[in-house]
Each structure stands twice: as C-alpha cells, then as structure tokens.
Amino acid sequence: NAGVTQTPKFQVLKTGQSMTLQCAQDMNHEYMSWYRQDPGMGLRLIHYSVGAGITDQGEVPNGYNVSRSTTEDFPLRLLSAAPSQTSVYFCASSQWGQSRDTEAFFGQGTRLTVV
Amino acid sequence: AQKITQTQPGMFVQEKEAVTLDCTYDTSDQSYGLFWYKQPSSGEMIFLIYQGSYDEQNATEGRYSLNFQKARKSANLVISASQLGDSAMYFCAMSPSGGYQKVTFGTGTKLQVIP
C-alpha cells in the first residue's frame, strides 16, 4: 500500500521561483490537506479539499495555490517563493466523517528551502 | 476558532516509568475530536490516539491513554512504561467536527526517555 506519497522529499528554490509540491493518495479519501511545520509552531493548515473540485483556505494560505481535479491528487503550488516559505510541508488525507474512523494518513514530508 | 496549548516544550522521563504530556484546548464547538501524534526524529507523523468530545470513557491504545477532562478542557496523553523508542516530539491536535478535518495542532512537547 502506497498510502500518501509526497514528491519531492527535498527542494531548494531561489527567491521568486515557482514550483509544485505533489501529493497523491491511493485510499480513495475525500479529504486532503496541506500543512507546513516550522520550528516551535507545530503544524499549520495551508489549504484543504473535501473532494474533487472543492478547495478552501486554512490558517496560512497566502503565497500558495491548490487545485483538486481528481480524488487522488492534491498539488500545492508556490507562486513566487519567498524565504519565509522555508519549511517542512506535509500532505494528509482521510475519509470524510465525524468519528475516529476518519484517521488521517500523512505523507513523509517535503523539506523546502528558499534562498 | 480552536486553540491547542502545550505548555511543556521538553520533558525527560526515566525508562519504564510513566509520563504525562499536557494539553489544553479552547473551542466553542460542542462536537469535536482530540488527537495525539508522535513525530520521531525521522520526521513522519504517527497517529497515536483519538478522543471524541462525546466519548464517555477515556481513550486507550496500548501503552497510550488520553486523560480527557471536558470541563477543564484538557486532553493529556499518558504513556505508561516508557521505552527508549518513545523519544520524539508529541503533538496534541483537535478538529471542529469530530473527524479529521481542519485540524489545529499544538506546538508540541519533546520527550526524551533516559536509560
């Protein structure tokens, strides 16, 4: 079982460059989300999606764009990278629901450095 | 808005002893879910335990138990019989719906188990 696959694992960008972080899941989960993790700040929600064609903003959406054309894929786009976007990015997916059965599965993370 | 507070940035525990990691939360929702995740130095997020706001009994999963005190808005994680492999960051988190959606994370507690 692949679960949640994030690519790349590491990336270095120059300020102003754009790139896409890929996230794919093979569990037919409706809900997918992106988080960033910074030292001392835990994980913060960037964007999330409750199904194909439906996305919404989380706590820290500025500078990021998402789309959900299929159930499996939820890419995160950095439009113009800034040093403040240096972070570890996690993608997660889960079934939609209101119980313990909606446990989230996380990708392995992408460590992004913007210079 | 939800808020999770973890007031212990770091803790030490002797191997084989029990340890409690503190977590308090704030929400105006009646239905919500509480989670604990473990993040070892390798970086992956590992789900440990879940407590629904309407669950009458405290959740337990092996050596992990969640001490849920609804009136005090606390959801402390208790790890019994600590092992060296328990050394990691631990994150408390909550969702407004009871399932895993729009989860808010705390800043984490770094636990170190001493032989």
Side-chain angles (χ1 to χ4, degrees):
Chain A
N1 289 336
V4 179
T5 303
Q6 281 184 243
T7 54
K9 288 187 170 51
F10 302 93
Q11 183 71 48
V12 179
L13 286 179
K14 293 183 178 179
T15 298
Q17 285 185 318
S18 62
M19 79 158 294
T20 299
L21 306 184
Q22 301 291 345
C23 177
Q25 53 93 6
D26 61 358
M27 297 169 282
N28 203 32
H29 286 165
E30 299 99 335
Y31 185 84
M32 297 185 74
S33 54
W34 276 101
Y35 287 87
R36 59 176 290 173
Q37 182 178 21
D38 302 296
M41 300 188 74
L43 279 74
R44 292 181 293 168
L45 182 64
I46 304 172
H47 285 286
Y48 65 95
S49 169
V50 301
I54 307 170
T55 63
D56 205 348
Q57 297 180 351
E59 180 186 355
V60 288
N62 292 341
Y64 306 96
N65 204 357
V66 292
S67 60
R68 183 100 179 265
S69 56
T70 67
T71 299
E72 294 78 19
D73 300 301
F74 190 45
L76 178 72
R77 297 182 185 85
L78 279 70
L79 308 174
S80 177
S84 61
Q85 294 179 302
T86 294
S87 187
V88 179
Y89 292 84
F90 286 97
C91 178
S93 76
S94 71
Q95 290 284 9
W96 178 261
Q98 297 184 355
S99 74
R100 65 185 68 242
D101 296 330
T102 62
E103 175 194 339
F105 295 82
F106 281 82
Q108 292 297 305
T110 296
R111 187 173 294 273
L112 175 69
T113 302
V114 182
V115 298
Chain B
Q2 308 169 108
K3 185 176 181 181
I4 293 281
T5 302
Q6 294 181 256
T7 58
Q8 306 155 313
M11 289 191 69
F12 291 92
V13 64
Q14 204 76 32
E15 192 178 7
K16 299 181 184 178
E17 292 187 349
V19 63
T20 298
L21 306 184
D22 293 341
C23 173
T24 58
Y25 62 92
D26 191 23
T27 182
S28 56
D29 295 312
Q30 296 301 308
S31 176
Y32 50 88
L34 295 156
F35 309 79
W36 277 92
Y37 282 86
K38 172 183 177 181
Q39 187 179 46
S41 58
S42 52
E44 70 267 31
M45 296 293 288
I46 301 169
F47 169 78
L48 294 179
I49 197 166
Y50 168 92
Q51 178 86 40
S53 58
Y54 289 113
D55 293 342
E56 294 185 351
Q57 292 192 338
N58 288 343
T60 59
E61 295 284 349
R63 294 187 298 111
Y64 304 107
S65 60
L66 198 152
N67 185 0
F68 181 44
Q69 298 188 42
K70 194 170 183 177
R72 301 176 71 175
K73 294 189 175 180
S74 73
N76 298 339
L77 178 70
V78 180
I79 305 174
S80 62
S82 297
Q83 301 172 356
L84 295 178
D86 293 334
S87 294
M89 283 290 289
Y90 288 82
F91 291 98
C92 180
M94 75 176 299
S95 73
S97 63
Y100 187 86
Q101 288 91 42
K102 297 186 70 174
V103 176
T104 298
F105 285 81
T107 53
T109 296
K110 184 172 183 178
L111 177 67
Q112 296 186 62
V113 181
I114 304 167

